[in-house]
Amino acid sequence: MSREKTKGMSIIVKTITRLTVGLVLLYGIYIVLHGHVSPGGGFAGGVIITLSFVHLVLAYGKDTALKKLSKARASFLENMGAILFLSIALLGFMGGYFFSNFIPKGEPFHLFSAGIIPISNIAISLKVGAGLFSIFVALVLLKLKPTSEKKK
Amino acid sequence: MVELYILLIFMIVGAIIAIEVKDLLSSVVAVGAVGLALSIVFLVLKAPDVAITQLVVELLCLIILIRATLKRDLPFSTSGRWFLNTMITIGFIIVLLLVAAKSFTDLPPFGFPIMRVASHYLNNGLSQTGASNIVSAVILDYRAYDTLGEATVLFTAVIGVLAIVRRIGRKKVGEKVKEEDE
């Protein structure tokens, strides 16, 4: 019950985490941005981005991770993702109907192609990543406190 | 085809172990093994998008479950009416199997789906949406309305969890709660 109160795990885990957490975050961003040309997409990429922050929480304790992404900023990002997705859908009325693909398609198999699909992927990844990170922080870290007080 | 059956048998055994074992942490590990086998099944069936999503969601759920169950002694609920419960369960399983055996005979054989709507997507998806990943083209262009509904479901789930779990709703009268404890 004292591990997350102090300073996280041992120095071996901290060193490895410092090397790998950036790679995990970068892989998540890659999955999101290439969601329309390769397997992956907004949901999976958002969860991988969340897993990089979860990695930080597990290794360094919650203070370091919440300094990088506070709860207020996480809820702001989640709301921005939802608003971005809905505004893409509403902007589709420029092309005629709800969720119309109004941006030019471009050339297939390129990064900048497929109209609104990459932007929708980014919006969904923001929503999923920030939302699941909020759930993780709320469920795992903050709920442990009353039981620990009760045991003492 | 053989590896599919091996994986399915492995998943069934893992699920039975997860139910029957007494230790909570071992049960969580068995559930994780079932999820990882399910992601390999999706890879064998050539659905890499679903396999990636299953793998990462399984990892996140496993971390949450392990952190939630690791240092707790949760009470094991054993009611006295095990005979009635077992009979009701067996009855439901028999009814479900009868209905399934009746309805599954009309389905096409495994690997030969009916392609009424999907053939249009497969033939025209690349030219109509410009996305070379057909799964992205379907969930974000043809069926984007479904994705909006799913995003709404997730948003509601996050709001519900935060409203129940947060500290500020459970404080006593006159007690002050710090900002970070909310």
Side-chain angles (χ1 to χ4, degrees):
Chain A
M1 201 55 72
S2 65
R3 195 182 281 171
E4 63 271 357
K5 291 277 177 55
T6 56
K7 293 197 186 79
M9 296 190 181
S10 65
I11 190 166
I12 303 172
V13 181
K14 281 184 180 176
T15 309
I16 298 297
T17 300
R18 204 163 56 226
L19 294 177
T20 56
V21 73
L23 294 177
V24 176
L25 182 62
L26 200 62
Y27 184 64
I29 294 173
Y30 164 80
I31 289 273
V32 171
L33 289 184
H34 287 252
H36 55 292
V37 289
S38 66
F43 196 93
V47 181
I48 293 176
I49 291 174
T50 307
L51 280 176
S52 73
F53 284 102
V54 168
H55 200 166
L56 267 185
V57 173
L58 292 183
Y60 280 92
K62 70 172 181 179
D63 293 333
T64 312
L66 286 183
K67 208 182 293 171
K68 303 255 188 241
L69 181 67
S70 66
K71 285 188 70 183
R73 194 181 291 172
S75 42
F76 174 76
L77 281 179
E78 192 196 0
N79 294 333
M80 284 316 290
I83 290 175
L84 183 59
F85 193 46
L86 199 58
S87 58
I88 289 168
L90 287 178
L91 279 178
F93 279 120
M94 284 168 46
Y97 52 91
F98 205 57
F99 274 118
S100 161
N101 203 338
F102 61 95
I103 300 178
K105 306 285 193 308
E107 212 173 327
F109 297 100
H110 282 70
L111 186 55
F112 294 103
S113 65
I116 63 168
I117 292 180
I119 310 174
S120 309
N121 265 332
I122 292 173
I124 290 178
S125 74
L126 279 179
K127 242 193 76 54
V128 171
L132 288 184
F133 183 69
S134 307
I135 286 185
F136 176 76
V137 169
L139 269 184
V140 173
L141 294 182
L142 302 182
K143 215 186 163 188
L144 276 177
K145 208 164 243 178
T147 56
S148 69
E149 285 167 1
K150 207 181 291 176
K151 275 184 182 172
K152 282 173 191 171
Chain B
M1 212 56 193
V2 179
E3 67 267 20
L4 191 61
Y5 283 110
I6 293 174
L7 284 167
L8 288 178
I9 291 171
F10 175 76
M11 283 167 60
I12 292 173
V13 171
I16 292 174
I17 288 175
I19 294 173
E20 289 298 327
V21 78
K22 295 294 180 194
D23 189 22
L24 261 182
L25 186 59
S26 312
S27 175
V28 169
V29 171
V31 170
V34 172
L36 291 182
L38 183 60
S39 96
I40 300 175
V41 165
F42 284 138
L43 263 187
V44 170
L45 294 178
K46 299 185 177 56
D49 291 84
V50 197
I52 291 175
T53 308
Q54 168 69 29
L55 186 64
V56 292
V57 172
E58 188 66 40
L59 279 176
L60 190 61
C61 291
L62 205 61
I63 290 172
I64 289 180
L65 281 178
I66 285 180
R67 288 301 295 264
T69 60
L70 192 55
K71 289 154 188 164
R72 304 263 178 97
D73 291 330
L74 295 177
F76 218 75
S77 73
T78 50
S79 63
R81 298 187 296 173
W82 62 272
F83 183 74
L84 183 66
N85 295 344
T86 314
M87 281 300 130
I88 291 174
T89 310
I90 290 175
F92 269 114
I93 287 175
I94 289 174
V95 169
L96 187 73
L97 280 182
L98 285 178
V99 174
K102 191 97 174 158
S103 64
F104 281 174
T105 51
D106 290 341
L107 284 181
F110 185 75
F112 296 95
I114 319 165
M115 304 275 273
R116 291 204 195 98
V117 184
S119 62
H120 176 259
Y121 292 162
L122 287 178
N123 291 328
N124 305 325
L126 187 59
S127 58
Q128 281 184 345
T129 66
S132 46
N133 183 10
I134 191 67
V135 179
S136 262
V138 171
I139 69 168
L140 288 175
D141 197 298
Y142 289 116
R143 292 279 179 260
Y145 207 76
D146 287 346
T147 310
L148 182 63
E150 177 229 313
T152 314
V153 168
L154 188 68
F155 194 70
T156 317
V158 171
I159 289 176
V161 168
L162 289 185
I164 291 174
V165 170
R166 66 176 181 170
R167 185 91 165 80
I168 203 166
R170 291 184 282 124
K171 66 178 179 182
K172 300 189 185 79
V173 181
E175 183 188 8
K176 279 190 180 177
V177 175
K178 275 184 287 181
E179 175 76 19
E180 61 182 58
D181 287 344
E182 272 182 18

